[in-house]
Amino acid sequence: MTKRIINGAAVAALAVAVCMVSCTQPKSQRQNIASLVEAEPCMVPLDSVTTQITRYMQLYDDSTLTFYNQGNHDICVVNLNTMSTRKIPLSKQGPNGIPWLDSYCYLPDTTWVFVALTREIIAIDRQGNVLTKMTMLREQSNGAPFEYAVSPYPRTTAPYLILDKKHIFAGYDGRSFEGQPFGSLLIYDEDANECITGNPYPEVYGDPGDKWGVFDYRAISYTPIFENKLLINYPASDSLYLYDPKTQLREPIYAAWSSETNIHKNPYSGSDAWARNYLEQYAYIAVLYDKYNKVYYRMLRLPLEDYDANMDLKDAVNYKPIAVIVLDEDFRIIGETVLPEGLYFPAFCFVTPAGLFVNTESDDDDFMKFRVFKLKIDR
């Protein structure tokens, strides 16, 4: 298949056409009727060849959780109601060889696997047999044409999605080219076999490559909502963004924490500069849609005000307090909650009818553990 590249000027024109219609709810008009209350944890049983540590996780439906088991190189498919597990085995060699997995888009009969190193998108069946392979155009970095400015970086809170045969990936490591802002998404059209970048960083970032770090404040998160649109969260922005991948239009939605956040670029230097900057200020880390209660959860890390500068600061980041802003279906803030202290891995979180699930460390290696929080509305 001939590979076509969208012209850089065309992509820039799409970016300029972004719609910026502000939606702001004054803090004085906020309601405070919604909160999250902790329930019993969810313990997912693991067999002897499956570990509680994963690099990618996806909730498929109300009761189907999937995650990658690196040790045995397979995808575990868990029924959260019965806690039964089946596995999609992956081969590392041969005609069905997939030597590495970075993320996937799970469907009951066909799962699409993404391999970042080779830029391959591979469709497999329930038994791990390869059905088809596609190779996306390679990205370049410094001084590259605009459409090459983003490297794919899908994660559980910024999942690999397929919408209208468009493969959507969160991106990172972009570079400005000839003054053009660069996108935070990579969109691959499998029919046309072409890539474009979309959804440029908002104005609060200035030049996103200028002391924002590679991941901490540039790694976006999002949740798919109505009409194949995405609700996008930027770590440094007080606003969420409603984004349409088809038209490249977006609309900001003010959704800030009640205290002033004043998130800024990294002022420090040295080997621990990024960790210090991240520890000492706010960071919005995820947005999730609770379709069962018709609310949105915007998660953020609060500043860690008291920490030992001599400790491993990268480890201390995991203990930053976590809070959740609750918005109703019209994106009005109706409450906020600081979660109980503890070790959380919010990179792995999702919503089921039972509540908001946030991964944490399990003391028992035979289980993967999630802390669960239920929505409470005071009428």
Side-chain angles (χ1 to χ4, degrees):
M1 182 185 297
T2 302
K3 296 179 179 178
R4 299 195 296 114
I5 305 173
I6 278 189
N7 180 275
V11 179
L14 288 174
V16 171
V18 165
C19 175
M20 297 294 288
V21 181
S22 179
C23 175
T24 302
Q25 176 192 16
K27 290 185 178 181
S28 60
Q29 295 181 11
R30 290 188 181 194
Q31 300 182 70
N32 191 25
I33 61 172
S35 60
L36 291 167
V37 179
E38 188 162 15
E40 289 296 313
C42 173
M43 308 295 289
V44 176
L46 308 173
D47 61 25
S48 61
V49 293
T50 304
T51 68
Q52 62 172 296
I53 299 173
T54 184
R55 78 161 59 100
Y56 195 79
M57 181 181 294
Q58 178 198 345
L59 185 75
Y60 172 68
D61 59 21
D62 293 357
S63 60
T64 305
L65 174 66
T66 71
F67 63 91
Y68 174 58
N69 175 32
Q70 184 173 348
N72 210 42
H73 196 47
D74 52 32
I75 297 173
C76 299
V77 183
V78 181
N79 184 313
L80 292 175
N81 292 331
T82 65
M83 291 301 175
S84 60
T85 300
R86 72 172 182 87
K87 297 188 177 185
I88 303 174
L90 302 175
S91 301
K92 291 192 174 183
Q93 299 177 337
N96 295 313
I98 302 176
W100 186 264
L101 178 153
D102 289 281
S103 65
Y104 57 83
C105 181
Y106 170 82
L107 298 170
D109 296 320
T110 302
T111 296
W112 293 83
V113 173
F114 174 63
V115 184
L117 182 63
T118 58
R119 300 299 297 272
E120 287 181 304
I121 298 172
I122 306 168
I124 59 174
D125 63 17
R126 290 168 62 93
Q127 288 73 44
N129 299 309
V130 171
L131 303 176
T132 186
K133 287 187 179 184
M134 299 180 289
T135 302
M136 291 195 301
L137 298 170
R138 284 197 170 274
E139 303 285 332
Q140 298 176 10
S141 291
N142 297 316
F146 185 70
E147 64 269 24
Y148 286 136
V150 177
S151 296
Y153 182 50
R155 302 174 318 288
T156 298
T157 52
Y160 170 12
L161 298 175
I162 303 175
L163 304 175
D164 295 329
K165 300 190 79 172
K166 305 293 194 299
H167 298 250
I168 297 177
F169 302 90
Y172 79 105
D173 198 29
R175 296 289 184 272
S176 295
F177 178 69
E178 296 182 350
Q180 301 287 354
F182 57 85
S184 56
L185 290 174
L186 183 73
I187 303 172
Y188 174 68
D189 184 333
E190 64 175 83
D191 284 340
N193 192 21
E194 62 188 15
C195 292
I196 66 168
T197 58
N199 195 39
Y201 284 85
E203 291 182 0
V204 67
Y205 279 83
D207 179 352
D210 182 15
K211 291 204 169 187
W212 283 108
V214 175
F215 298 108
D216 295 344
Y217 285 98
R218 287 171 56 184
I220 68 169
S221 54
Y222 49 77
T223 186
I225 53 175
F226 52 84
E227 298 177 345
N228 283 345
K229 292 182 173 65
L230 303 179
L231 187 62
I232 297 185
N233 173 81
Y234 289 93
S237 176
D238 284 331
S239 292
L240 294 167
Y241 287 81
L242 185 61
Y243 172 73
D244 187 340
K246 183 178 293 185
T247 64
Q248 296 278 321
L249 301 180
R250 71 178 180 186
E251 175 183 350
I253 300 165
Y254 187 70
W257 182 244
S258 55
S259 300
E260 293 297 325
T261 57
N262 191 30
I263 300 171
H264 53 75
K265 299 176 183 180
N266 182 18
Y268 299 117
S269 60
S271 59
D272 62 354
W274 302 116
R276 287 179 63 193
N277 184 55
Y278 191 75
L279 279 170
E280 294 173 6
Q281 61 175 340
Y282 295 86
Y284 295 102
I285 56 175
V287 61
L288 300 165
Y289 180 50
D290 180 346
K291 63 182 180 181
Y292 315 101
N293 294 297
K294 295 184 179 180
V295 298
Y296 299 90
Y297 301 126
R298 190 181 196 192
M299 302 175 67
L300 66 155
R301 289 276 196 184
L302 306 180
L304 191 61
E305 298 177 350
D306 183 21
Y307 68 91
D308 184 353
N310 296 316
M311 69 183 299
D312 183 345
L313 299 188
K314 293 180 180 179
D315 182 62
V317 164
N318 291 322
Y319 291 91
K320 274 173 63 72
I322 291 181
V324 181
I325 302 167
V326 184
L327 299 93
D328 68 14
E329 57 185 334
D330 295 317
F331 304 111
R332 295 172 300 198
I333 295 174
I334 57 172
E336 54 187 33
T337 297
V338 178
L339 300 187
E341 291 184 1
L343 176 64
Y344 293 92
F345 304 130
F348 305 106
C349 58
F350 54 87
V351 178
T352 79
L356 169 64
F357 286 56
V358 186
N359 188 219
T360 187
E361 187 175 33
S362 173
D363 294 331
D364 187 338
D365 286 336
D366 291 334
F367 293 90
M368 178 182 286
K369 183 178 180 180
F370 297 90
R371 296 181 74 166
V372 180
F373 300 90
K374 288 184 174 292
L375 179 67
K376 179 184 177 185
I377 302 287
D378 298 322
R379 299 296 183 183

